[in-house]
Amino acid sequence: MDAFKQSEEVRAGLCASCRHVKINRSDRGSEFYYCRRSESDPAFRKYPPLPVLQCPGYEPVSGTATS
């Protein structure tokens, strides 16, 4: 695993490999992890505080290994 991917997983937690995430990037280069589950279920926050270590809606992107 490359260093960037590893640091992204540490910073974002489960969101880094979740199929429901949409990463929004600002003009200044900041990244915001938007949870698309929030669109249909109010129990999920649009922009959860990171890192997300537990999430009942987490579904890994196919082909992503989790540990």
Side-chain angles (χ1 to χ4, degrees):
M1 175 181 299
D2 67 26
F4 176 76
K5 182 66 176 168
Q6 187 174 18
S7 65
E8 180 183 16
E9 288 176 357
V10 169
R11 186 171 53 86
L14 293 175
C15 292
S17 62
C18 183
R19 68 184 307 232
H20 301 289
V21 72
K22 177 183 177 202
I23 300 174
N24 295 322
R25 290 180 177 84
S26 74
D27 293 339
R28 296 184 179 188
S30 297
E31 292 183 337
F32 301 92
Y33 287 72
Y34 175 77
C35 178
R36 289 184 285 194
R37 299 263 330 219
S38 67
E39 296 170 1
S40 60
D41 188 340
F44 293 92
R45 294 177 67 171
K46 289 181 182 182
Y47 294 96
L50 301 178
V52 173
L53 303 178
Q54 295 180 350
C55 180
Y58 173 74
E59 293 179 40
V61 174
S62 45
T64 302
T66 58
S67 27

